[in-house]
Amino acid sequence: MTVRGFDRPPTRLEAAKAYAEQVWGTGSAKRVATFDNGIPYVRAGAVARFLTWFVDTVVCLFGVGVCVVALALLHDGGQGLSIDAVAVLAIASYFVVPMLYGLCYGNGRALGAVLTGTQLVRAKDGGRIGLKGCWAMVVRTVFMPIVFGIVVLSAATGLGVAGSLARTSIDRAATRHLHAAGIR
């Protein structure tokens, strides 16, 4: 544990954590962090992040299922699509549907985030992710299971996985409350 010296004022992060501990308790205080530009925020909890991912993945898989059924009906209806074309389009829908769903994600709030009260923002300044939301949704729904497997495998073998996040999920209500208290 680090003890702050009495000869200097508290940093923004220290002030934010002290405020969060006083208002919400130690659990929420542990989730207080700062963006790369120093502005404090409250990270979304692990359960909220998982539920956000789960809802978005289910929505995307439902969309892929609709595409596959529509393609199968086009093939059976004699619309001129070969079975190979149907297979290629079905596989492509696995990437296209999350991209289209990601268009709703420009402000960081697709259905999963709305239901859990979270928002995906840029880690450097807390701003909107904008058009990169399409790519973020593909990463979250298509590549996240692959990344999870790599992390588990690296932990089992003792190899580390290095990297940095370009985006982070925040607890919207708690972060708004923190900023409304004048801690910015």
Side-chain angles (χ1 to χ4, degrees), residues 5-76:
F6 293 104
D7 57 341
R8 66 173 178 81
T11 65
R12 284 194 270 189
L13 181 60
E14 291 169 343
K17 284 187 178 202
Y19 176 80
E21 187 170 352
Q22 184 179 27
V23 174
W24 301 307
T26 56
S28 292
K30 290 179 182 176
R31 294 188 294 129
V32 174
T34 57
F35 295 118
D36 293 348
N37 64 1
I39 295 176
Y41 70 96
V42 181
R43 284 189 313 264
V47 172
R49 288 191 318 260
F50 173 77
L51 288 175
T52 301
W53 168 82
F54 184 75
V55 168
D56 290 341
T57 300
V58 167
V59 168
C60 287
L61 288 175
F62 178 77
V64 169
V66 168
C67 286
V68 168
V69 168
L71 289 167
L73 290 174
L74 284 174
H75 174 69
D76 288 344

Short mmCIF file of all heavy atoms in Angstrom, two decimals, residues 5-76:
data_model
loop_
_atom_site.label_atom_id
_atom_site.label_comp_id
_atom_site.label_asym_id
_atom_site.label_seq_id
_atom_site.Cartn_x
_atom_site.Cartn_y
_atom_site.Cartn_z
N GLY A 5 2.17 11.39 0.61
CA GLY A 5 2.90 12.33 1.45
C GLY A 5 2.02 13.51 1.84
O GLY A 5 1.11 13.90 1.11
N PHE A 6 2.29 14.10 2.99
CA PHE A 6 1.47 15.22 3.46
C PHE A 6 1.89 16.54 2.83
O PHE A 6 1.22 17.54 3.00
CB PHE A 6 1.58 15.33 4.99
CG PHE A 6 0.94 14.17 5.69
CD1 PHE A 6 1.72 13.18 6.24
CD2 PHE A 6 -0.44 14.07 5.77
CE1 PHE A 6 1.14 12.10 6.88
CE2 PHE A 6 -1.03 12.99 6.41
CZ PHE A 6 -0.24 12.01 6.96
N ASP A 7 2.99 16.56 2.10
CA ASP A 7 3.51 17.80 1.55
C ASP A 7 2.98 18.11 0.15
O ASP A 7 3.38 19.09 -0.44
CB ASP A 7 5.04 17.75 1.54
CG ASP A 7 5.57 16.56 0.75
OD1 ASP A 7 4.80 15.61 0.54
OD2 ASP A 7 6.75 16.59 0.36
N ARG A 8 2.08 17.29 -0.36
CA ARG A 8 1.55 17.55 -1.70
C ARG A 8 0.05 17.31 -1.71
O ARG A 8 -0.47 16.50 -0.95
CB ARG A 8 2.24 16.67 -2.74
CG ARG A 8 1.96 15.20 -2.59
CD ARG A 8 2.54 14.41 -3.77
NE ARG A 8 2.31 13.00 -3.61
CZ ARG A 8 1.18 12.36 -3.89
NH1 ARG A 8 0.15 13.02 -4.37
NH2 ARG A 8 1.06 11.06 -3.72
N PRO A 9 -0.66 18.00 -2.60
CA PRO A 9 -2.11 17.77 -2.70
C PRO A 9 -2.38 16.43 -3.38
O PRO A 9 -1.52 15.90 -4.09
CB PRO A 9 -2.59 18.93 -3.58
CG PRO A 9 -1.40 19.38 -4.32
CD PRO A 9 -0.20 19.07 -3.46
N PRO A 10 -3.56 15.86 -3.15
CA PRO A 10 -3.86 14.57 -3.78
C PRO A 10 -3.98 14.70 -5.30
O PRO A 10 -4.40 15.74 -5.82
CB PRO A 10 -5.21 14.17 -3.16
CG PRO A 10 -5.81 15.43 -2.69
CD PRO A 10 -4.67 16.35 -2.35
N THR A 11 -3.59 13.65 -6.00
CA THR A 11 -3.75 13.63 -7.45
C THR A 11 -5.23 13.47 -7.77
O THR A 11 -6.04 13.15 -6.89
CB THR A 11 -2.96 12.48 -8.08
OG1 THR A 11 -3.52 11.24 -7.62
CG2 THR A 11 -1.48 12.55 -7.73
N ARG A 12 -5.57 13.66 -9.04
CA ARG A 12 -6.98 13.48 -9.45
C ARG A 12 -7.45 12.06 -9.17
O ARG A 12 -8.56 11.84 -8.72
CB ARG A 12 -7.15 13.79 -10.94
CG ARG A 12 -7.14 15.27 -11.23
CD ARG A 12 -7.64 15.52 -12.62
NE ARG A 12 -6.53 15.50 -13.56
CZ ARG A 12 -6.62 15.85 -14.82
NH1 ARG A 12 -7.76 16.22 -15.32
NH2 ARG A 12 -5.57 15.82 -15.59
N LEU A 13 -6.58 11.09 -9.45
CA LEU A 13 -6.95 9.69 -9.22
C LEU A 13 -7.16 9.42 -7.73
O LEU A 13 -8.12 8.76 -7.34
CB LEU A 13 -5.90 8.75 -9.80
CG LEU A 13 -6.18 7.26 -9.64
CD1 LEU A 13 -7.50 6.87 -10.33
CD2 LEU A 13 -5.05 6.44 -10.22
N GLU A 14 -6.27 9.94 -6.90
CA GLU A 14 -6.42 9.75 -5.46
C GLU A 14 -7.70 10.41 -4.95
O GLU A 14 -8.42 9.82 -4.13
CB GLU A 14 -5.21 10.32 -4.72
CG GLU A 14 -3.94 9.52 -4.93
CD GLU A 14 -2.69 10.23 -4.42
OE1 GLU A 14 -2.74 11.46 -4.17
OE2 GLU A 14 -1.67 9.54 -4.25
N ALA A 15 -7.99 11.60 -5.44
CA ALA A 15 -9.21 12.29 -5.03
C ALA A 15 -10.45 11.54 -5.50
O ALA A 15 -11.43 11.40 -4.75
CB ALA A 15 -9.22 13.71 -5.59
N ALA A 16 -10.40 11.02 -6.71
CA ALA A 16 -11.54 10.27 -7.25
C ALA A 16 -11.76 8.99 -6.47
O ALA A 16 -12.91 8.63 -6.14
CB ALA A 16 -11.32 9.96 -8.73
N LYS A 17 -10.69 8.29 -6.14
CA LYS A 17 -10.82 7.04 -5.37
C LYS A 17 -11.33 7.32 -3.96
O LYS A 17 -12.15 6.58 -3.43
CB LYS A 17 -9.48 6.30 -5.33
CG LYS A 17 -9.15 5.60 -6.62
CD LYS A 17 -7.93 4.74 -6.49
CE LYS A 17 -7.70 4.03 -7.82
NZ LYS A 17 -6.91 2.83 -7.69
N ALA A 18 -10.85 8.38 -3.35
CA ALA A 18 -11.32 8.74 -2.00
C ALA A 18 -12.81 9.08 -2.03
O ALA A 18 -13.58 8.65 -1.17
CB ALA A 18 -10.52 9.91 -1.45
N TYR A 19 -13.22 9.84 -3.04
CA TYR A 19 -14.64 10.19 -3.18
C TYR A 19 -15.48 8.94 -3.41
O TYR A 19 -16.52 8.75 -2.78
CB TYR A 19 -14.83 11.18 -4.33
CG TYR A 19 -16.27 11.51 -4.59
CD1 TYR A 19 -16.94 12.43 -3.79
CD2 TYR A 19 -16.97 10.89 -5.61
CE1 TYR A 19 -18.28 12.73 -4.02
CE2 TYR A 19 -18.31 11.17 -5.84
CZ TYR A 19 -18.95 12.10 -5.04
OH TYR A 19 -20.28 12.38 -5.26
N ALA A 20 -15.03 8.07 -4.31
CA ALA A 20 -15.78 6.85 -4.62
C ALA A 20 -15.89 5.94 -3.41
O ALA A 20 -16.94 5.34 -3.16
CB ALA A 20 -15.12 6.11 -5.79
N GLU A 21 -14.82 5.85 -2.63
CA GLU A 21 -14.86 5.01 -1.44
C GLU A 21 -15.84 5.56 -0.41
O GLU A 21 -16.58 4.82 0.23
CB GLU A 21 -13.46 4.89 -0.83
CG GLU A 21 -13.40 3.90 0.31
CD GLU A 21 -11.97 3.62 0.74
OE1 GLU A 21 -11.02 4.07 0.06
OE2 GLU A 21 -11.81 2.94 1.77
N GLN A 22 -15.87 6.89 -0.29
CA GLN A 22 -16.77 7.54 0.66
C GLN A 22 -18.23 7.40 0.23
O GLN A 22 -19.10 7.13 1.05
CB GLN A 22 -16.39 9.01 0.77
CG GLN A 22 -17.17 9.79 1.79
CD GLN A 22 -16.73 11.23 1.84
OE1 GLN A 22 -16.24 11.78 0.86
NE2 GLN A 22 -16.91 11.86 2.99
N VAL A 23 -18.51 7.51 -1.06
CA VAL A 23 -19.89 7.50 -1.56
C VAL A 23 -20.38 6.09 -1.84
O VAL A 23 -21.50 5.72 -1.46
CB VAL A 23 -20.00 8.37 -2.84
CG1 VAL A 23 -21.38 8.26 -3.45
CG2 VAL A 23 -19.70 9.83 -2.50
N TRP A 24 -19.56 5.25 -2.52
CA TRP A 24 -20.03 3.94 -2.98
C TRP A 24 -19.41 2.77 -2.23
O TRP A 24 -19.85 1.64 -2.39
CB TRP A 24 -19.74 3.76 -4.47
CG TRP A 24 -20.36 4.79 -5.34
CD1 TRP A 24 -21.68 5.15 -5.36
CD2 TRP A 24 -19.72 5.58 -6.31
NE1 TRP A 24 -21.87 6.12 -6.29
CE2 TRP A 24 -20.69 6.41 -6.89
CE3 TRP A 24 -18.42 5.68 -6.75
CZ2 TRP A 24 -20.40 7.32 -7.89
CZ3 TRP A 24 -18.12 6.59 -7.75
CH2 TRP A 24 -19.10 7.40 -8.30
N GLY A 25 -18.33 2.96 -1.52
CA GLY A 25 -17.66 1.87 -0.84
C GLY A 25 -16.38 1.46 -1.55
O GLY A 25 -16.05 1.95 -2.64
N THR A 26 -15.67 0.52 -0.96
CA THR A 26 -14.35 0.14 -1.48
C THR A 26 -14.43 -0.60 -2.81
O THR A 26 -13.51 -0.53 -3.61
CB THR A 26 -13.59 -0.74 -0.47
OG1 THR A 26 -14.39 -1.87 -0.16
CG2 THR A 26 -13.28 0.03 0.79
N GLY A 27 -15.52 -1.33 -3.06
CA GLY A 27 -15.64 -2.08 -4.32
C GLY A 27 -15.61 -1.17 -5.53
O GLY A 27 -14.88 -1.41 -6.49
N SER A 28 -16.40 -0.11 -5.50
CA SER A 28 -16.42 0.83 -6.62
C SER A 28 -15.16 1.67 -6.67
O SER A 28 -14.70 2.05 -7.74
CB SER A 28 -17.64 1.75 -6.54
OG SER A 28 -18.81 1.00 -6.76
N ALA A 29 -14.59 1.96 -5.50
CA ALA A 29 -13.35 2.75 -5.48
C ALA A 29 -12.23 2.02 -6.19
O ALA A 29 -11.37 2.64 -6.82
CB ALA A 29 -12.96 3.07 -4.04
N LYS A 30 -12.22 0.69 -6.12
CA LYS A 30 -11.19 -0.08 -6.81
C LYS A 30 -11.34 -0.02 -8.32
O LYS A 30 -10.39 -0.27 -9.05
CB LYS A 30 -11.25 -1.55 -6.36
CG LYS A 30 -10.80 -1.76 -4.95
CD LYS A 30 -10.91 -3.21 -4.55
CE LYS A 30 -10.49 -3.40 -3.10
NZ LYS A 30 -10.67 -4.78 -2.67
N ARG A 31 -12.55 0.32 -8.81
CA ARG A 31 -12.78 0.39 -10.26
C ARG A 31 -12.48 1.78 -10.84
O ARG A 31 -12.58 1.99 -12.03
CB ARG A 31 -14.22 -0.01 -10.59
CG ARG A 31 -14.50 -1.46 -10.28
CD ARG A 31 -15.87 -1.92 -10.77
NE ARG A 31 -16.95 -1.25 -10.07
CZ ARG A 31 -17.96 -0.64 -10.66
NH1 ARG A 31 -18.06 -0.60 -11.97
NH2 ARG A 31 -18.91 -0.06 -9.95
N VAL A 32 -12.10 2.73 -10.00
CA VAL A 32 -11.78 4.07 -10.50
C VAL A 32 -10.42 4.03 -11.16
O VAL A 32 -9.46 3.47 -10.62
CB VAL A 32 -11.80 5.11 -9.35
CG1 VAL A 32 -11.32 6.47 -9.84
CG2 VAL A 32 -13.20 5.23 -8.76
N ALA A 33 -10.34 4.59 -12.35
CA ALA A 33 -9.09 4.65 -13.10
C ALA A 33 -9.05 5.98 -13.84
O ALA A 33 -9.97 6.79 -13.71
CB ALA A 33 -9.03 3.49 -14.09
N THR A 34 -8.00 6.21 -14.59
CA THR A 34 -7.92 7.43 -15.38
C THR A 34 -7.67 7.09 -16.84
O THR A 34 -7.02 6.10 -17.15
CB THR A 34 -6.78 8.36 -14.90
OG1 THR A 34 -5.55 7.66 -14.94
CG2 THR A 34 -7.03 8.87 -13.49
N PHE A 35 -8.22 7.93 -17.70
CA PHE A 35 -7.92 7.82 -19.12
C PHE A 35 -6.47 8.25 -19.31
O PHE A 35 -5.84 8.78 -18.40
CB PHE A 35 -8.85 8.72 -19.95
CG PHE A 35 -10.29 8.30 -19.89
CD1 PHE A 35 -11.24 9.15 -19.35
CD2 PHE A 35 -10.71 7.07 -20.37
CE1 PHE A 35 -12.57 8.79 -19.29
CE2 PHE A 35 -12.04 6.69 -20.32
CZ PHE A 35 -12.98 7.55 -19.78
N ASP A 36 -5.94 8.05 -20.49
CA ASP A 36 -4.56 8.42 -20.76
C ASP A 36 -4.31 9.92 -20.56
O ASP A 36 -3.20 10.33 -20.27
CB ASP A 36 -4.17 8.03 -22.19
CG ASP A 36 -4.13 6.52 -22.38
OD1 ASP A 36 -4.18 5.78 -21.38
OD2 ASP A 36 -4.07 6.08 -23.55
N ASN A 37 -5.37 10.74 -20.68
CA ASN A 37 -5.21 12.18 -20.50
C ASN A 37 -5.39 12.61 -19.05
O ASN A 37 -5.37 13.80 -18.75
CB ASN A 37 -6.18 12.95 -21.41
CG ASN A 37 -7.63 12.70 -21.07
OD1 ASN A 37 -7.96 11.96 -20.14
ND2 ASN A 37 -8.51 13.34 -21.81
N GLY A 38 -5.59 11.66 -18.12
CA GLY A 38 -5.65 11.96 -16.70
C GLY A 38 -7.04 12.15 -16.12
O GLY A 38 -7.19 12.28 -14.91
N ILE A 39 -8.07 12.15 -16.92
CA ILE A 39 -9.43 12.33 -16.42
C ILE A 39 -9.90 11.01 -15.79
O ILE A 39 -9.82 9.96 -16.41
CB ILE A 39 -10.39 12.77 -17.55
CG1 ILE A 39 -9.98 14.15 -18.05
CG2 ILE A 39 -11.84 12.76 -17.07
CD1 ILE A 39 -10.79 14.64 -19.24
N PRO A 40 -10.41 11.08 -14.56
CA PRO A 40 -10.86 9.85 -13.89
C PRO A 40 -12.20 9.36 -14.43
O PRO A 40 -13.02 10.13 -14.92
CB PRO A 40 -10.97 10.26 -12.42
CG PRO A 40 -11.16 11.72 -12.43
CD PRO A 40 -10.48 12.24 -13.67
N TYR A 41 -12.40 8.06 -14.33
CA TYR A 41 -13.66 7.42 -14.71
C TYR A 41 -13.83 6.16 -13.87
O TYR A 41 -12.90 5.74 -13.17
CB TYR A 41 -13.68 7.07 -16.20
CG TYR A 41 -12.74 5.96 -16.60
CD1 TYR A 41 -13.17 4.65 -16.71
CD2 TYR A 41 -11.40 6.22 -16.88
CE1 TYR A 41 -12.30 3.63 -17.07
CE2 TYR A 41 -10.53 5.21 -17.23
CZ TYR A 41 -10.99 3.92 -17.33
OH TYR A 41 -10.14 2.89 -17.68
N VAL A 42 -15.01 5.57 -13.93
CA VAL A 42 -15.27 4.32 -13.21
C VAL A 42 -15.41 3.21 -14.24
O VAL A 42 -16.29 3.27 -15.11
CB VAL A 42 -16.54 4.43 -12.34
CG1 VAL A 42 -16.78 3.13 -11.58
CG2 VAL A 42 -16.43 5.60 -11.37
N ARG A 43 -14.52 2.22 -14.17
CA ARG A 43 -14.58 1.07 -15.08
C ARG A 43 -15.85 0.28 -14.83
O ARG A 43 -16.31 0.16 -13.70
CB ARG A 43 -13.38 0.14 -14.87
CG ARG A 43 -12.09 0.64 -15.42
CD ARG A 43 -11.00 -0.43 -15.36
NE ARG A 43 -10.91 -1.11 -14.08
CZ ARG A 43 -10.06 -0.78 -13.12
NH1 ARG A 43 -9.20 0.19 -13.31
NH2 ARG A 43 -10.04 -1.43 -11.98
N ALA A 44 -16.39 -0.27 -15.88
CA ALA A 44 -17.54 -1.17 -15.73
C ALA A 44 -17.08 -2.42 -15.01
O ALA A 44 -15.95 -2.88 -15.17
CB ALA A 44 -18.11 -1.51 -17.09
N GLY A 45 -17.97 -3.00 -14.22
CA GLY A 45 -17.65 -4.22 -13.49
C GLY A 45 -17.52 -5.41 -14.43
O GLY A 45 -17.97 -5.38 -15.57
N ALA A 46 -16.91 -6.47 -13.93
CA ALA A 46 -16.68 -7.67 -14.74
C ALA A 46 -17.98 -8.30 -15.20
O ALA A 46 -18.10 -8.73 -16.35
CB ALA A 46 -15.84 -8.68 -13.96
N VAL A 47 -18.98 -8.34 -14.34
CA VAL A 47 -20.26 -8.94 -14.71
C VAL A 47 -20.94 -8.10 -15.79
O VAL A 47 -21.47 -8.65 -16.77
CB VAL A 47 -21.18 -9.09 -13.46
CG1 VAL A 47 -22.57 -9.53 -13.86
CG2 VAL A 47 -20.57 -10.07 -12.47
N ALA A 48 -20.92 -6.79 -15.64
CA ALA A 48 -21.53 -5.91 -16.65
C ALA A 48 -20.82 -6.05 -17.99
O ALA A 48 -21.47 -6.10 -19.04
CB ALA A 48 -21.49 -4.45 -16.18
N ARG A 49 -19.49 -6.12 -17.98
CA ARG A 49 -18.75 -6.29 -19.24
C ARG A 49 -19.09 -7.62 -19.90
O ARG A 49 -19.27 -7.70 -21.11
CB ARG A 49 -17.24 -6.18 -19.00
CG ARG A 49 -16.78 -4.77 -18.69
CD ARG A 49 -15.26 -4.62 -18.73
NE ARG A 49 -14.54 -5.70 -18.11
CZ ARG A 49 -14.03 -5.68 -16.88
NH1 ARG A 49 -14.19 -4.60 -16.14
NH2 ARG A 49 -13.37 -6.71 -16.40
N PHE A 50 -19.18 -8.69 -19.10
CA PHE A 50 -19.52 -10.00 -19.65
C PHE A 50 -20.93 -9.99 -20.23
O PHE A 50 -21.16 -10.49 -21.33
CB PHE A 50 -19.39 -11.10 -18.60
CG PHE A 50 -19.90 -12.42 -19.09
CD1 PHE A 50 -19.13 -13.19 -19.94
CD2 PHE A 50 -21.16 -12.88 -18.74
CE1 PHE A 50 -19.60 -14.40 -20.44
CE2 PHE A 50 -21.63 -14.09 -19.21
CZ PHE A 50 -20.86 -14.85 -20.06
N LEU A 51 -21.89 -9.43 -19.49
CA LEU A 51 -23.27 -9.40 -19.98
C LEU A 51 -23.40 -8.56 -21.24
O LEU A 51 -24.16 -8.90 -22.15
CB LEU A 51 -24.21 -8.89 -18.89
CG LEU A 51 -24.45 -9.86 -17.73
CD1 LEU A 51 -25.30 -9.20 -16.65
CD2 LEU A 51 -25.09 -11.15 -18.23
N THR A 52 -22.65 -7.47 -21.32
CA THR A 52 -22.65 -6.65 -22.53
C THR A 52 -22.17 -7.46 -23.72
O THR A 52 -22.80 -7.48 -24.78
CB THR A 52 -21.76 -5.41 -22.35
OG1 THR A 52 -22.24 -4.65 -21.25
CG2 THR A 52 -21.73 -4.54 -23.59
N TRP A 53 -21.04 -8.14 -23.54
CA TRP A 53 -20.50 -8.99 -24.60
C TRP A 53 -21.49 -10.09 -24.96
O TRP A 53 -21.72 -10.36 -26.14
CB TRP A 53 -19.17 -9.59 -24.16
CG TRP A 53 -18.71 -10.66 -25.07
CD1 TRP A 53 -18.05 -10.49 -26.26
CD2 TRP A 53 -18.90 -12.06 -24.93
NE1 TRP A 53 -17.81 -11.71 -26.84
CE2 TRP A 53 -18.34 -12.69 -26.04
CE3 TRP A 53 -19.51 -12.85 -23.95
CZ2 TRP A 53 -18.35 -14.07 -26.21
CZ3 TRP A 53 -19.51 -14.22 -24.12
CH2 TRP A 53 -18.95 -14.81 -25.24
N PHE A 54 -22.09 -10.73 -23.97
CA PHE A 54 -23.00 -11.84 -24.21
C PHE A 54 -24.22 -11.39 -25.01
O PHE A 54 -24.60 -12.04 -26.00
CB PHE A 54 -23.42 -12.47 -22.88
CG PHE A 54 -24.29 -13.68 -23.04
CD1 PHE A 54 -23.75 -14.88 -23.44
CD2 PHE A 54 -25.65 -13.60 -22.79
CE1 PHE A 54 -24.55 -16.01 -23.60
CE2 PHE A 54 -26.46 -14.72 -22.94
CZ PHE A 54 -25.91 -15.92 -23.35
N VAL A 55 -24.84 -10.29 -24.61
CA VAL A 55 -26.02 -9.79 -25.34
C VAL A 55 -25.66 -9.44 -26.77
O VAL A 55 -26.37 -9.81 -27.71
CB VAL A 55 -26.64 -8.58 -24.61
CG1 VAL A 55 -27.67 -7.87 -25.47
CG2 VAL A 55 -27.27 -9.01 -23.29
N ASP A 56 -24.55 -8.74 -26.97
CA ASP A 56 -24.15 -8.36 -28.33
C ASP A 56 -23.83 -9.58 -29.17
O ASP A 56 -24.15 -9.63 -30.36
CB ASP A 56 -22.95 -7.41 -28.29
CG ASP A 56 -23.32 -6.04 -27.75
OD1 ASP A 56 -24.52 -5.70 -27.76
OD2 ASP A 56 -22.41 -5.30 -27.33
N THR A 57 -23.22 -10.59 -28.58
CA THR A 57 -22.91 -11.81 -29.32
C THR A 57 -24.18 -12.54 -29.71
O THR A 57 -24.31 -13.03 -30.85
CB THR A 57 -21.99 -12.72 -28.48
OG1 THR A 57 -20.78 -12.00 -28.21
CG2 THR A 57 -21.65 -14.00 -29.22
N VAL A 58 -25.15 -12.62 -28.79
CA VAL A 58 -26.42 -13.28 -29.11
C VAL A 58 -27.15 -12.54 -30.23
O VAL A 58 -27.69 -13.17 -31.15
CB VAL A 58 -27.30 -13.40 -27.84
CG1 VAL A 58 -28.73 -13.78 -28.18
CG2 VAL A 58 -26.70 -14.41 -26.88
N VAL A 59 -27.15 -11.21 -30.18
CA VAL A 59 -27.80 -10.43 -31.24
C VAL A 59 -27.13 -10.70 -32.58
O VAL A 59 -27.80 -10.91 -33.60
CB VAL A 59 -27.77 -8.91 -30.91
CG1 VAL A 59 -28.17 -8.07 -32.11
CG2 VAL A 59 -28.68 -8.62 -29.74
N CYS A 60 -25.79 -10.72 -32.60
CA CYS A 60 -25.08 -10.99 -33.85
C CYS A 60 -25.32 -12.41 -34.35
O CYS A 60 -25.52 -12.62 -35.56
CB CYS A 60 -23.58 -10.73 -33.67
SG CYS A 60 -23.18 -8.98 -33.56
N LEU A 61 -25.30 -13.39 -33.45
CA LEU A 61 -25.58 -14.76 -33.88
C LEU A 61 -27.00 -14.92 -34.40
O LEU A 61 -27.23 -15.66 -35.36
CB LEU A 61 -25.32 -15.74 -32.73
CG LEU A 61 -23.85 -15.96 -32.38
CD1 LEU A 61 -23.72 -16.86 -31.15
CD2 LEU A 61 -23.08 -16.53 -33.55
N PHE A 62 -27.94 -14.21 -33.81
CA PHE A 62 -29.31 -14.22 -34.32
C PHE A 62 -29.35 -13.64 -35.74
O PHE A 62 -29.99 -14.19 -36.64
CB PHE A 62 -30.24 -13.42 -33.40
CG PHE A 62 -31.65 -13.34 -33.89
CD1 PHE A 62 -32.50 -14.43 -33.77
CD2 PHE A 62 -32.12 -12.19 -34.49
CE1 PHE A 62 -33.81 -14.37 -34.23
CE2 PHE A 62 -33.42 -12.11 -34.95
CZ PHE A 62 -34.27 -13.20 -34.83
N GLY A 63 -28.63 -12.53 -35.95
CA GLY A 63 -28.56 -11.93 -37.29
C GLY A 63 -27.92 -12.86 -38.30
O GLY A 63 -28.39 -12.97 -39.45
N VAL A 64 -26.87 -13.57 -37.90
CA VAL A 64 -26.23 -14.54 -38.79
C VAL A 64 -27.21 -15.66 -39.11
O VAL A 64 -27.31 -16.11 -40.26
CB VAL A 64 -24.92 -15.09 -38.17
CG1 VAL A 64 -24.39 -16.28 -38.95
CG2 VAL A 64 -23.87 -13.99 -38.10
N GLY A 65 -27.94 -16.11 -38.10
CA GLY A 65 -28.94 -17.16 -38.32
C GLY A 65 -30.01 -16.73 -39.30
O GLY A 65 -30.40 -17.52 -40.19
N VAL A 66 -30.46 -15.50 -39.21
CA VAL A 66 -31.45 -14.98 -40.16
C VAL A 66 -30.87 -14.97 -41.57
O VAL A 66 -31.55 -15.35 -42.53
CB VAL A 66 -31.93 -13.57 -39.73
CG1 VAL A 66 -32.71 -12.89 -40.82
CG2 VAL A 66 -32.76 -13.66 -38.45
N CYS A 67 -29.61 -14.55 -41.68
CA CYS A 67 -28.97 -14.54 -43.01
C CYS A 67 -28.86 -15.95 -43.58
O CYS A 67 -29.12 -16.16 -44.77
CB CYS A 67 -27.57 -13.92 -42.92
SG CYS A 67 -27.58 -12.14 -42.73
N VAL A 68 -28.48 -16.91 -42.77
CA VAL A 68 -28.32 -18.29 -43.24
C VAL A 68 -29.67 -18.84 -43.69
O VAL A 68 -29.76 -19.48 -44.75
CB VAL A 68 -27.67 -19.16 -42.15
CG1 VAL A 68 -27.75 -20.64 -42.50
CG2 VAL A 68 -26.22 -18.75 -41.94
N VAL A 69 -30.72 -18.59 -42.91
CA VAL A 69 -32.05 -19.06 -43.29
C VAL A 69 -32.50 -18.40 -44.60
O VAL A 69 -33.02 -19.07 -45.50
CB VAL A 69 -33.07 -18.81 -42.15
CG1 VAL A 69 -34.50 -19.01 -42.64
CG2 VAL A 69 -32.78 -19.72 -40.97
N ALA A 70 -32.27 -17.10 -44.73
CA ALA A 70 -32.65 -16.40 -45.96
C ALA A 70 -31.88 -16.95 -47.16
O ALA A 70 -32.46 -17.14 -48.25
CB ALA A 70 -32.40 -14.90 -45.81
N LEU A 71 -30.59 -17.22 -46.97
CA LEU A 71 -29.79 -17.78 -48.07
C LEU A 71 -30.26 -19.18 -48.43
O LEU A 71 -30.31 -19.55 -49.62
CB LEU A 71 -28.31 -17.80 -47.69
CG LEU A 71 -27.63 -16.43 -47.64
CD1 LEU A 71 -26.27 -16.54 -46.97
CD2 LEU A 71 -27.52 -15.84 -49.03
N ALA A 72 -30.62 -19.98 -47.43
CA ALA A 72 -31.11 -21.33 -47.70
C ALA A 72 -32.44 -21.26 -48.47
O ALA A 72 -32.67 -22.06 -49.39
CB ALA A 72 -31.29 -22.09 -46.40
N LEU A 73 -33.28 -20.31 -48.11
CA LEU A 73 -34.55 -20.16 -48.83
C LEU A 73 -34.33 -19.70 -50.27
O LEU A 73 -35.04 -20.13 -51.18
CB LEU A 73 -35.47 -19.18 -48.09
CG LEU A 73 -36.03 -19.67 -46.75
CD1 LEU A 73 -36.79 -18.55 -46.06
CD2 LEU A 73 -36.91 -20.90 -46.94
N LEU A 74 -33.33 -18.85 -50.47
CA LEU A 74 -33.01 -18.42 -51.84
C LEU A 74 -32.49 -19.58 -52.66
O LEU A 74 -32.79 -19.69 -53.85
CB LEU A 74 -31.98 -17.29 -51.82
CG LEU A 74 -32.49 -15.91 -51.44
CD1 LEU A 74 -31.33 -14.93 -51.33
CD2 LEU A 74 -33.52 -15.41 -52.42
N HIS A 75 -31.71 -20.44 -52.05
CA HIS A 75 -31.18 -21.61 -52.76
C HIS A 75 -32.31 -22.58 -53.10
O HIS A 75 -32.40 -23.08 -54.22
CB HIS A 75 -30.11 -22.31 -51.92
CG HIS A 75 -29.64 -23.59 -52.52
ND1 HIS A 75 -28.89 -23.62 -53.67
CD2 HIS A 75 -29.81 -24.89 -52.15
CE1 HIS A 75 -28.62 -24.89 -53.98
NE2 HIS A 75 -29.18 -25.67 -53.06
N ASP A 76 -33.16 -22.86 -52.13
CA ASP A 76 -34.26 -23.80 -52.35
C ASP A 76 -35.33 -23.22 -53.27
O ASP A 76 -36.03 -23.97 -53.94
CB ASP A 76 -34.91 -24.20 -51.02
CG ASP A 76 -34.02 -25.12 -50.21
OD1 ASP A 76 -33.07 -25.69 -50.79
OD2 ASP A 76 -34.26 -25.26 -49.00
#
